[in-house]
Amino acid sequence: MPVAAAYIQPSDLGSYQSAVRLVLTYDVITAARPRPGTLEAVLRWADQLSRDLRDVLGYTLIATARQVRLIRRLDALDPTQATIFTARSGRPFDRRRLAYLCLFLASFSRSRVEISLADLVRTFTPTANAIDGLGFNPTVGAHKAAVVDVLDWLAERGALRLSDGSVEAWTADTDRGDALYDVDHDICAGLFRPARPVQHLTSAAGLLEATFTSAKRAAQHEAAAQHAARALAEHPVVYYAQVAPEVAEALRQPDGVAENLARLTGLAVERRAEGVLLADAGGRFTDRPFPGRGGAVNRAAGLLLAKIADVLEDPDQHPPRLPVPPDDADQRDLLERIDAAIPSNGIVTELAWSAPGEGAEMPAEEEEAEEEEEWRLAQTGRAEQSEQSEQSEQSEQSERSERSERSEQSEHAEQSEHAKDAEHADERKWADRPEYADQPEHAYRPAYPGQPRQTRGAGRTAAVIPPRPLVVPFLADSRLGVMIEELFDELGPASFTVTWQHDPHGLRAAAVAFLADLRLLRPVAGGVLVLPAAARYRNIKLALPIRHAEGQLALDLFGGADDE
């Protein structure tokens, strides 16, 4: 993998890394978003950013004078990406708002540079009403509120610009009020760029860019390195047992993928036996800051982790330990639930895309072409040697071979016997290990130094020894319920805001979901699994304002003088 920021001067490295973090954090950067001056700071490094993001992560950077947008490659569906679609109030978009957003983008015509809100609503209303369970009625307040949230979302990203009127006037009176918007079609086109047309998809797996990788070892190593870099950049932590063996191997390499990504982003690599993460001391390179000054859910999540740490560190407590289900199982479940809702009548069957079968190999024609190309290059390299040097070398080799032919044959026979015995002994040793007891013989056969770890009889498909599952403590939901009730008793219900002060178990569920997004907990049936990264927050403490006996907040007006 090429070295990131290879042509950046040390004095400019901090500025360049800041630009990388901005591009990875914000879905669209414009002259006003996230703040004035950001677009100019990023465009300064546009060429180097495009090259590094392509080589290290496999991403595509779109940079123009008015916008910067990163086109990501999705290796898996990530439910946490839904945080991009939020209203100004901070509430995430529901299905109605997401549907309205798609219909609005489809309603914009390339020939129109401006559109009134009344015309826009008039255009998309028949389409919305044609969808069962959706619809639009201007007399329903919830429908108008959804339209306003979608318009604000598009305006925030520069896709729409209000030039006349106001959306509030339209909300108050849809017959007389109106608003006029300028449409930026370039930004609109960049907001939704699926890997394939949605009308051709029979499964949500088609949204993932699972491109074909050559069977050449160098190409496979590069693909695994980019996959590992994407996992480390997009997720708070990567556990070796939860990813493909080749990805885990790329992340384990010293001065490899993790260190290269750290140089690109300016973060610090933190390794443990179970996995690796990039630590951000500033706390800004994230869409979920934790811990820190946040809402009640953020604070409750930190306090819940402290309670969990107390249980795990108590020598009298012995919670059961269970293996963590692999991420592939979550992906299959998520895909099945999404695919169950795909309307079959909207798919163009003649152009429908279907997921390739597992274990798909390179076509025979391409494989033979690659082998022929490798042979041709090898022959060309040999032909470049001079004939005189070849003749001299051949004569010397023939003389030496005549003198040592018999001794070589005897040594070769003896080495073959020893290698055969060692191979059988090594296979017996690995077969006796309990974690591989149920595996077929060809699956656990170890690779010797310099030998690729391949499955015998599997052609060109490599099979690495499966990693041991990640085994972590399990805590039941009832135990978590007791913890949150203890927090309410210790701190008082009012400490958790009006929203949650009468719903402790709802707050517990929200805190667990928040920690699951951070890969600190793993919800399972009946409870949660405590993942290794949660140990980083075992010493977390709550800081509350000091109160007087009368219940009023203490205000230090005299520089810390003691009360008398």
Side-chain angles (χ1 to χ4, degrees):
M1 175 179 290
V3 178
Y7 303 102
I8 303 298
Q9 297 296 326
S11 58
D12 295 330
L13 186 58
S15 176
Y16 178 72
Q17 291 170 341
S18 176
V20 172
R21 293 194 296 270
L22 288 169
V23 170
L24 291 173
T25 302
Y26 295 98
D27 53 342
V28 178
I29 296 176
T30 63
R33 186 176 188 272
R35 52 188 174 272
T38 301
L39 181 62
E40 292 77 8
V42 172
L43 288 178
R44 173 191 176 191
W45 307 104
D47 293 339
Q48 183 68 30
L49 281 171
S50 179
R51 181 164 48 250
D52 281 343
L53 292 172
R54 181 188 64 245
D55 295 342
V56 178
L57 295 165
Y59 291 164
T60 301
L61 184 71
I62 298 176
T64 67
R66 294 186 298 173
Q67 62 153 327
V68 172
R69 176 163 174 77
L70 187 65
I71 307 300
R72 287 172 161 87
R73 287 184 56 184
L74 299 179
D75 299 305
L77 298 179
D78 184 5
T80 64
Q81 295 295 329
T83 56
I84 296 175
F85 304 98
T86 55
R88 284 186 175 180
S89 61
R91 298 184 62 180
F93 276 16
D94 55 11
R95 290 182 294 178
R96 178 176 299 278
R97 285 165 172 77
L98 290 173
Y100 282 3
L101 175 60
C102 295
L103 292 178
F104 276 14
L105 290 174
S107 300
F108 296 146
S109 173
R110 295 291 300 185
S111 61
R112 304 184 66 174
V113 296
E114 64 179 12
I115 188 171
S116 68
L117 179 53
D119 290 342
L120 179 61
V121 172
R122 193 178 302 114
T123 301
F124 103 99
T125 297
T127 308
N129 290 331
I131 301 175
D132 295 338
L134 184 61
F136 174 77
N137 189 340
T139 63
V140 178
H143 292 188
K144 292 193 294 185
V147 169
V148 172
D149 287 341
V150 171
L151 292 174
D152 289 341
W153 190 90
L154 291 170
E156 182 184 1
R157 283 152 180 79
L160 296 179
R161 186 179 65 84
L162 182 66
S163 59
D164 192 14
S166 69
V167 68
E168 289 80 7
W170 175 84
T171 304
D173 189 347
T174 56
D175 294 330
R176 298 181 180 180
D178 201 356
L180 186 64
Y181 287 96
D182 295 331
V183 182
D184 191 322
H185 293 288
D186 292 335
I187 295 180
C188 290
L191 289 177
F192 182 61
R193 294 187 57 172
R196 299 171 181 87
V198 293
Q199 297 90 344
H200 302 170
L201 299 182
T202 58
S203 171
L207 298 174
L208 307 178
E209 299 201 26
T211 56
F212 177 79
T213 302
S214 170
K216 291 184 177 180
R217 186 177 300 177
Q220 292 181 347
H221 286 175
E222 181 181 0
Q226 288 186 349
H227 191 168
R230 289 193 293 270
L232 194 56
E234 300 292 347
H235 299 290
V237 59
V238 179
Y239 299 106
Y240 298 138
Q242 298 299 102
V243 296
E246 59 272 15
V247 175
E249 185 65 22
L251 290 172
R252 285 193 178 99
Q253 296 298 325
D255 297 329
V257 172
E259 284 71 19
N260 200 34
L261 191 59
R263 174 175 172 79
L264 179 65
T265 60
L267 305 185
V269 179
E270 188 172 311
R271 296 182 182 273
R272 294 294 184 270
E274 301 85 359
V276 60
L277 61 83
L278 292 179
D280 177 24
R284 294 184 177 181
F285 185 43
T286 178
D287 57 348
R288 298 286 183 91
F290 176 80
R293 296 182 179 272
V297 174
N298 193 310
R299 295 195 301 271
L303 295 172
L304 199 60
L305 281 184
K307 288 283 187 181
I308 292 173
D310 292 341
V311 172
L312 299 182
E313 294 177 351
D314 189 347
D316 297 329
Q317 300 285 343
H318 302 284
R321 300 178 66 86
L322 300 176
V324 180
D327 290 344
D328 292 343
D330 294 339
Q331 283 293 304
R332 287 193 296 268
D333 178 68
L334 182 59
L335 285 173
E336 289 175 358
R337 289 188 283 120
I338 295 176
D339 293 347
I342 294 179
S344 58
N345 57 356
I347 299 175
V348 182
T349 56
E350 294 80 3
L351 302 174
W353 175 91
S354 57
E358 295 183 2
E361 297 184 1
M362 177 185 290
E365 295 80 1
E366 297 185 15
E367 184 175 346
E368 293 176 0
E370 282 202 359
E371 291 179 352
E372 183 178 352
E373 180 68 14
E374 292 177 359
W375 179 86
R376 186 186 64 79
L377 292 175
Q379 295 299 323
T380 303
R382 295 190 184 97
E384 291 178 353
Q385 298 178 358
S386 62
E387 295 181 359
Q388 184 176 4
S389 62
E390 287 181 357
Q391 293 177 356
S392 61
E393 289 178 359
Q394 290 176 359
S395 61
E396 293 177 359
Q397 291 177 359
S398 61
E399 292 177 0
R400 288 195 299 268
S401 62
E402 290 177 358
R403 291 193 301 266
S404 59
E405 181 177 357
R406 294 182 180 179
S407 60
E408 288 179 357
Q409 291 178 354
S410 61
E411 291 178 0
H412 179 71
E414 184 177 355
Q415 291 175 358
S416 299
E417 292 294 333
H418 286 298
K420 186 176 180 180
D421 294 339
E423 179 180 350
H424 290 313
D426 198 35
E427 290 182 358
R428 289 193 299 270
K429 178 185 68 175
W430 281 74
D432 292 338
R433 294 180 63 172
E435 59 267 33
Y436 303 110
D438 297 332
Q439 300 290 337
E441 180 270 337
H442 61 78
Y444 55 73
R445 181 172 184 262
Y448 298 102
Q451 173 188 358
R453 296 183 177 181
Q454 292 185 343
T455 304
R456 290 180 292 182
R460 305 185 67 149
T461 304
V464 184
I465 297 173
R468 295 183 180 181
L470 185 62
V471 180
V472 297
F474 168 82
L475 293 179
D477 286 333
S478 58
R479 190 67 172 273
L480 297 177
V482 172
M483 292 179 182
I484 199 71
E485 290 175 356
E486 291 176 352
L487 290 175
F488 269 64
D489 293 338
E490 294 171 4
L491 304 174
S495 301
F496 298 98
T497 70
V498 177
T499 305
W500 301 107
Q501 63 180 352
H502 300 298
D503 188 13
H505 296 288
L507 179 59
R508 181 206 67 196
V512 168
F514 179 78
L515 294 173
D517 288 347
L518 298 177
R519 295 196 169 188
L520 303 178
L521 298 181
R522 172 64 160 80
V524 293
V528 297
L529 298 175
V530 185
L531 299 179
R536 300 181 77 249
Y537 306 98
R538 61 186 179 273
N539 296 323
I540 193 169
K541 297 183 183 299
L542 176 66
L544 289 176
I546 302 175
R547 297 175 181 269
H548 285 291
E550 295 82 4
Q552 298 178 348
L553 290 176
L555 299 179
D556 188 1
L557 303 178
F558 304 101
D562 295 334
D563 293 337
E564 297 181 357

